[in-house]
Amino acid sequence: MQNKSAAVKPVVLNFSQEEKGKIIKVLSQYSKKKVSAPFEEKRWLIAGCTVTLYKTGKLVVQGKQCKKVANEILKKMLSKEELILGIDEAGRGEHFGNFTIAAVLADKNKMRELRDSKKIKKLEEKTKIVEENSLASVTVSFSPEFIDEARRAGLTMNELQKRFINIAPELFKIPGKTFKVRVDGSPLKGCDAEFIVGGDDKCPVIGAASVLAKSAREKSPNKNQRKTWKSRLL
C-alpha cells in the first residue's frame, strides 16, 4: 500500500546571480520567514510552502503544493521565451574512456531544475528533464582510439571541440527562430559563440548539455585507456 503521508519532493529551481534581485522583488509581496543557515539569503511562506533562496541562486520550494507554487514563481519571473543552444563536454582531462560533447536547444526557462552535472546526484532523473523539455539535442562521442589517432595527427582536444561548436548551430537552424549559442569554458579562437567560465552552473541550458554529455560518457562501455594521455599533444 502506498504511503499517503510520504513527503512531497521539493522543487529546485536555479537562477543566476543577476536574477536574484528580481526573485527578491517578485516574492517581496509574500510573508517573510527567518533564514536558518548562513548560506540562505531569503525565505518566504507561499500557499503553505516554504520558499528558500540560497546565495548561490538556487531556489527551493517545499510543501504539498510545491509544484504549483514553483510554476507560479516561474510565470512571475519569466516574461518571454529565451532560446539558447547550450554546449558542454565531459571527459576532456580523463586518461580513459570517451570524450563527449553535447548541444541542447531549449528555452532556458524550462531548464531551471538543472545545474552542473558534477553537482547532480541523480543523473538519470535530470537526463529525463532535458529530454522532455528540450527542442532538440545532439551528442557526439570520441573514443579513446579516435583521440589517440587525432593526437598523433597533431589535433588537440580543443580542435575537436571547436569543430563541434561551429557545426552544431547549423543543425538547429529554423527560419524565423533565433537562438544564442553559449558554451562552457574559456574562449576558443575561431568560434562564433559566447563562452562562460563555469557556464554549466550559471546557464540552465549549458547545464542541460552538461547532463547529456556526462550521461553519454557514463553509459559508454568503452573505458579503454588513452595511450597519448601524457603526450605533448594534450
Side-chain angles (χ1 to χ4, degrees), residues 95-108:
H95 66 280
F96 69 95
N98 289 353
F99 173 47
T100 57
I101 313 174
V104 174
L105 180 65
D107 177 1
K108 79 170 187 178

Side-chain angles (χ1 to χ4, degrees), residues 31-98:
S31 299
K32 291 183 181 179
K33 293 185 69 176
K34 187 177 180 180
V35 297
S36 60
F39 43 80
E40 295 178 356
E41 188 149 329
K42 297 281 184 180
R43 268 194 178 194
W44 299 268
L45 182 65
I46 305 175
C49 293
T50 297
V51 180
T52 306
L53 175 64
Y54 291 81
K55 292 183 178 179
T56 59
K58 180 172 68 175
L59 191 74
V60 178
V61 186
Q62 297 169 290
K64 291 183 179 180
Q65 301 294 320
C66 59
K67 289 186 178 181
K68 181 179 179 180
V69 170
N71 286 333
E72 288 300 317
I73 291 172
L74 283 173
K75 286 180 183 178
K76 292 176 182 291
M77 276 290 297
L78 313 166
S79 57
K80 61 180 181 178
E81 178 186 71
E82 184 178 355
L83 282 183
I84 302 291
L85 179 62
I87 300 175
D88 199 8
E89 49 80 15
R92 172 189 291 276
E94 301 293 344
H95 66 280
F96 69 95
N98 289 353

Side-chain angles (χ1 to χ4, degrees), residues 43-192:
R43 268 194 178 194
W44 299 268
L45 182 65
I46 305 175
C49 293
T50 297
V51 180
T52 306
L53 175 64
Y54 291 81
K55 292 183 178 179
T56 59
K58 180 172 68 175
L59 191 74
V60 178
V61 186
Q62 297 169 290
K64 291 183 179 180
Q65 301 294 320
C66 59
K67 289 186 178 181
K68 181 179 179 180
V69 170
N71 286 333
E72 288 300 317
I73 291 172
L74 283 173
K75 286 180 183 178
K76 292 176 182 291
M77 276 290 297
L78 313 166
S79 57
K80 61 180 181 178
E81 178 186 71
E82 184 178 355
L83 282 183
I84 302 291
L85 179 62
I87 300 175
D88 199 8
E89 49 80 15
R92 172 189 291 276
E94 301 293 344
H95 66 280
F96 69 95
N98 289 353
F99 173 47
T100 57
I101 313 174
V104 174
L105 180 65
D107 177 1
K108 79 170 187 178
N109 305 325
K110 294 183 178 180
M111 294 292 178
R112 292 291 181 176
E113 295 180 67
L114 301 171
R115 293 178 84 89
D116 175 9
S117 62
K118 294 186 289 295
K119 300 180 181 179
I120 292 173
K121 295 181 180 179
K122 297 182 179 179
L123 193 59
E124 288 186 8
E125 183 179 309
K126 299 303 182 183
T127 299
K128 186 178 179 181
I129 292 175
V130 178
E131 292 174 344
E132 289 179 346
N133 292 283
S134 61
L135 289 174
S137 65
V138 63
T139 304
V140 62
S141 293
F142 299 100
S143 70
E145 294 76 17
F146 182 90
I147 292 170
D148 287 339
E149 290 293 331
R151 282 172 165 165
R152 291 183 185 117
L155 297 174
T156 65
M157 304 289 271
N158 280 350
E159 182 61 35
L160 295 179
Q161 186 175 9
K162 186 191 301 183
R163 290 178 179 180
F164 181 87
I165 293 169
N166 288 336
I167 292 172
E170 295 297 322
L171 300 175
F172 303 114
K173 279 188 176 180
I174 298 177
K177 280 281 187 182
T178 60
F179 54 81
K180 298 175 182 177
V181 181
R182 291 178 177 168
V183 185
D184 178 59
S186 300
L188 295 175
K189 290 183 179 180
C191 290
D192 185 17

